[in-house]
Amino acid sequence: MQLSKRLEAIVKLAGTCHCVADVGTDHGYIPIYMTEHHLTEKAIAMDVNKGPLERAQRNIRAYRMEQQITTRLSDGVAKLKAMEADCVIIAGMGGLLTIRILEAGKEILTTVPTMILQPQSEIGQVRKFLAEHGYRITAEDMVLDEGKYYPMMRVEHGSQEEWTEQEYAFGKYLIVSDNPVLLEFLEKEEKLCGEILQSLKGKSGEHIEKRRGEILERQELVRLAKEQMR
């Protein structure tokens, strides 16, 4: 099976495990790939919707992996048992939904040593949530896949030192490693901020001032992150 760059990077961050649980599995590609390449002994493909789970089931049958991979209709990790998985992957969904899944499943997730998270939005909020709820980020990666940027992180239990605002926004490990994909993203963000500020020139009003303040704040975070990478 050939994975997309995004899914390939997620699998690389996950490494090897005894049992992986893929939340929001969609087509079941990650469990199939990890089983096929002996990165996990068994896997649980989970999704809240029947349609994606049925697609995953068809793919699992096509690869004759019914013995190694089970499927579960589950809202987040609700149907995962304590100590059943040693790696949980939550990828491809919004940051606020990712946080909701972490909050709702906190009791079960205390028994899971490692998580791989790849939120599609509100990524800074996800990083802050982790730091405030007994998790620490131990590794990060970022890829450009079909024109979209995807940051992702490996998470374990434990306390994390305080990060700067730009590190929460863009990822401390991406910054300190001078990640080239992050640098490209920051340069695009810098250009976009400049264009938005230019478009707001000469305009006034409460909404405009609020928007200008948000962009100036974003612009400063981008500047600090780029400065830290040099």
Side-chain angles (χ1 to χ4, degrees):
M1 172 174 285
Q2 184 70 38
L3 294 180
S4 66
K5 282 178 70 176
R6 177 179 75 92
L7 296 185
E8 195 173 58
I10 289 168
V11 166
K12 187 176 178 183
L13 262 187
T16 59
C17 59
H18 172 66
C19 177
V20 64
D22 185 29
V23 178
T25 195
D26 197 12
H27 289 79
Y29 292 154
I30 286 178
I32 292 169
Y33 184 93
M34 290 186 69
T35 303
E36 181 182 35
H37 290 267
H38 307 290
L39 297 172
T40 188
E41 293 178 30
K42 54 185 179 177
I44 305 164
M46 312 174 81
D47 209 288
V48 69
N49 295 309
K50 288 183 179 179
L53 206 61
E54 287 169 357
R55 287 197 293 270
Q57 288 165 347
R58 286 196 294 270
N59 289 330
I60 291 164
R61 285 194 298 270
Y63 280 85
R64 299 180 179 178
M65 290 184 175
E66 299 97 320
Q67 297 302 311
Q68 299 105 309
I69 306 173
T70 59
T71 59
R72 286 180 200 166
L73 191 65
S74 176
D75 185 359
V77 295
K79 296 297 175 67
L80 187 67
K81 299 171 187 173
M83 303 182 71
E84 188 175 26
D86 55 345
C87 179
V88 165
I89 295 173
I90 305 173
M93 55 193 77
L96 297 182
L97 177 54
T98 300
I99 289 171
R100 185 185 72 75
I101 290 171
L102 294 175
E103 285 183 317
K106 60 185 177 182
E107 288 186 19
I108 290 297
L109 292 174
T110 59
T111 73
V112 179
T114 303
M115 291 190 295
I116 308 300
L117 307 181
Q118 187 269 298
Q120 303 278 65
S121 60
E122 293 95 17
I123 300 161
Q125 286 179 243
V126 173
R127 291 190 182 104
K128 284 187 175 182
F129 173 87
L130 294 169
E132 292 165 0
H133 290 80
Y135 295 103
R136 62 191 181 97
I137 297 169
T138 59
E140 294 180 294
D141 196 7
M142 187 173 190
V143 297
L144 176 62
D145 189 1
E146 295 188 353
K148 293 183 180 180
Y149 293 93
Y150 297 101
M152 57 198 71
M153 61 203 80
R154 183 181 176 95
V155 177
E156 298 174 5
H157 297 284
S159 60
Q160 179 174 287
E161 75 281 4
E162 185 67 24
W163 286 13
T164 63
E165 283 302 311
Q166 69 268 22
E167 288 169 346
Y168 281 123
F170 304 115
K172 179 174 182 175
Y173 294 108
L174 297 175
I175 292 172
V176 299
S177 66
D178 295 332
N179 183 281
V181 180
L182 174 62
L183 182 58
E184 180 184 316
F185 173 78
L186 290 174
E187 287 173 346
K188 288 195 173 186
E189 283 289 291
E190 187 175 51
K191 183 180 178 183
L192 179 62
C193 286
E195 289 172 352
I196 295 173
L197 288 173
Q198 186 63 32
S199 73
L200 296 176
K201 273 191 174 180
K203 297 179 181 178
S204 60
E206 187 178 334
H207 174 72
I208 295 294
E209 290 309 312
K210 183 176 181 233
R211 180 64 172 153
R212 184 180 284 113
E214 290 169 350
I215 298 304
L216 286 170
E217 186 178 319
R218 180 74 170 178
Q219 190 179 54
E220 178 64 6
L221 289 177
V222 169
R223 184 190 71 78
L224 289 170
K226 286 184 70 179
E227 189 176 84
Q228 196 171 335
M229 293 178 80
R230 295 191 184 107

